Amino acid sequence: MSTSTRPSPGPSLAVLLDPRDPAFVADPYPAFARAREIRPVGWHDGLGTAVALTHQACDAVLRDRRLGRVLVPRRPDADWATFNWLHADSILDSEPPKHTRLRRLVAQAFGRGHVERLRPRVASLAEELLDGCEQALAEHGAFDALGDYAEPLPVLVIADLLGWPPDDRDLLRPWSQAIVAMYEVDRTAEQEARARRACTEFAAYVGELADRRRRRPADDLVTHLVQARDGGDRLDDHELVATVVLLLNAGHEASVNGFGNGLVQLLRAPDQLALLRRHLDDDALVALAAEELLRHDSPLQLFERTATQDVEIDLPGQPLRLARGQKVAALLGAANRDPAVFAEPDRFVVDRSPNPHLAFGAGIHFCLGAPLARLELQTALRALLRRFPALAQSGEPERRPSFVLRGYRTVPVTA
């Protein structure tokens, strides 16, 4: 792999960007800034992949059709069979023509118009959860804005949308967290074992739910996926299960982490918090604030692509060259703090506009659930600040020790 025709000065990217270093994981942005000054793209020996650090480079990597999602099955297959087909038959890990077909069969349910009709239900769920937060505040003087509010809200929304049985909704978050732990670079054997169990249990449950909807259709997304056709085409059993699992996982992870990360930063910017509080009835400002939640501390830090042929991408001063089969990771958190695109990139700015962040990706893998995530973030933020006009941090939030999916375990607040 060659990323440049000239040598690049400075320390290696593996030294600057070490996802196993707790200090880097806690705050990767200073290291991103130093690395970006050295080179917009480069080779990371520790990850065994090229990395793109600028907004321009990441955008190019995400949009180039010669770079694809190439799944390498895990071995032995007897242990990883369900995990492998859940990913092989998902929209996220497939490429055209399969990706085009799967996305077309699912996309209608996530269109902007359909999602907008969910706004009253999302608002109602948010108010119900805030009732519980108010009770916790009265009893304990504080509550967890993540565990009591930001985590359950998108899980309840996507479960509602899919028609997931209410008594079993507590299964979803543990299954999801076990599976997405596989995307980290420092997994343990126990985490891998938990992911395999979660895949098996999750897939079996979704398969049984789909069978029930075939016999007794309902007004929900699982029924829609069972019945969806594109001409004579429809989802097969594995594709249907993989799609539901992906929607449940991706359908709340970005919202949970985006809200938690962004809320912490907002509470640390009192002038911006005051501005937003004064204008909570301004839909346009609330929408801008939700975008800044996603940009400033991105919930997804890394998205990987693989060259399906020899590739050269023309970037200013340093072209990216990849041989077929080599990987490149778009570092979305670095892209979203690029000073070439964002003025004062390390500052949280509620009314930042334009805000061309890459938190939802770009190109054919742009997040299918982006309209729903945006609605959830806007609704959750407005409802929280209306209910608690004096909201403030209560102690230090606790981060999860993960790099790829960046988020908190707890965000204690008071009011």
Side-chain angles (χ1 to χ4, degrees):
M1 199 284 300
S2 172
T3 56
S4 176
T5 56
R6 58 179 175 78
S8 298
S12 75
L13 292 179
V15 171
L16 278 175
L17 314 175
D18 182 359
R20 293 178 175 84
D21 178 1
F24 172 75
V25 172
D27 183 8
Y29 299 107
F32 285 156
R34 291 194 298 273
R36 195 170 45 237
E37 289 173 358
I38 295 170
R39 54 182 81 89
V41 294
W43 184 256
H44 193 295
D45 291 321
L47 297 176
T49 180
V51 292
L53 289 147
T54 65
H55 189 281
Q56 183 180 25
C58 288
D59 189 61
V61 163
L62 294 171
R63 294 181 186 277
D64 197 303
R65 298 292 293 272
R66 298 168 298 174
L67 303 174
R69 294 286 291 181
V70 178
L71 181 69
V72 178
R74 297 186 178 276
R75 297 288 183 254
D77 189 64
D79 292 340
W80 292 97
T82 304
F83 180 94
N84 285 339
W85 67 253
L86 278 176
H87 288 75
D89 286 324
S90 81
I91 300 170
L92 181 63
D93 286 297
S94 59
E95 289 294 307
K98 183 175 183 175
H99 174 273
T100 307
R101 170 180 158 268
L102 293 176
R103 190 169 178 119
R104 188 164 53 229
L105 284 164
V106 177
Q108 181 179 353
F110 285 90
R112 193 174 304 278
H114 180 75
V115 165
E116 190 58 34
R117 289 193 290 273
L118 297 173
R119 190 177 291 273
R121 178 58 177 157
V122 176
S124 174
L125 289 169
E127 294 299 333
E128 290 175 18
L129 290 169
L130 288 172
D131 289 342
C133 294
E134 198 161 23
Q135 183 176 347
L137 183 64
E139 293 175 356
H140 308 293
F143 64 92
D144 180 4
L146 197 68
D148 295 332
Y149 185 56
E151 279 192 350
L153 180 60
V155 174
L156 291 171
V157 171
I158 197 69
D160 256 14
L161 188 62
L162 284 159
W164 198 268
D167 290 345
D168 292 334
R169 290 179 181 183
D170 61 337
L171 299 172
L172 296 175
R173 184 69 172 158
W175 278 339
S176 175
Q177 289 190 312
I179 293 170
V180 301
M182 290 298 298
Y183 307 144
E184 297 300 331
V185 298
D186 56 350
R187 303 179 304 272
T188 66
E190 178 54 32
Q191 285 177 312
E192 293 190 347
R194 283 200 296 267
R196 291 194 296 268
R197 288 194 299 271
C199 284
T200 300
E201 294 169 4
F202 207 164
Y205 191 105
V206 173
E208 292 171 4
L209 181 59
D211 287 341
R212 293 202 297 272
R213 292 297 185 265
R214 287 189 184 95
R215 297 191 300 270
R216 295 186 298 278
D219 183 18
D220 58 42
L221 184 53
V222 170
T223 300
H224 168 82
L225 294 174
V226 167
Q227 297 174 343
R229 288 182 178 275
D230 182 21
D233 187 26
R234 71 189 311 163
L235 297 169
D236 67 28
D237 288 346
H238 274 190
E239 290 169 346
L240 191 152
V241 171
T243 297
V244 172
V245 170
L246 173 65
L247 293 176
L248 282 164
N249 287 348
H252 73 276
E253 285 291 340
S255 293
V256 171
N257 295 328
F259 186 87
N261 293 352
L263 179 63
V264 169
Q265 300 306 314
L266 177 60
L267 294 176
R268 291 173 177 172
D271 61 324
Q272 298 301 300
L273 179 59
L275 172 63
L276 183 57
R277 281 174 170 153
R278 288 196 303 270
H279 300 284
L280 281 175
D281 291 331
D282 184 340
D283 291 345
L285 181 63
V286 172
L288 290 176
E291 298 304 309
E292 187 71 344
L293 295 183
L294 293 162
R295 180 203 72 86
H296 191 266
D297 196 10
S298 302
L300 178 64
Q301 290 283 318
L302 180 154
F303 192 74
E304 194 175 82
R305 311 280 282 166
T306 302
T308 58
Q309 58 185 277
D310 291 350
V311 173
E312 179 170 336
I313 299 176
D314 186 24
L315 296 170
Q318 191 175 4
L320 170 64
R321 299 188 184 96
L322 296 169
R324 180 181 178 182
Q326 288 186 319
K327 295 180 179 182
V328 57
L331 295 180
L332 305 181
N336 289 339
R337 296 279 190 106
D338 187 345
V341 176
F342 304 99
E344 297 183 279
D346 296 326
R347 184 168 168 253
F348 191 100
V349 180
V350 160
D351 57 352
R352 185 181 295 277
S353 182
N355 190 349
H357 65 76
L358 298 177
F360 290 122
I364 67 168
H365 286 288
F366 182 83
C367 178
L368 185 68
L372 179 58
R374 285 180 160 127
L375 185 153
E376 290 170 348
L377 288 170
Q378 294 165 19
T379 304
L381 183 60
R382 172 182 270 154
L384 179 67
L385 295 181
R386 275 183 175 161
R387 181 72 71 99
F388 302 111
L391 191 76
Q393 281 190 213
S394 174
E396 278 300 307
E398 180 187 357
R399 273 213 176 271
R400 295 210 312 258
S402 55
F403 167 64
V404 176
L405 294 173
R406 181 169 172 80
Y408 287 96
R409 281 201 179 109
T410 62
V411 179
V413 294
T414 188

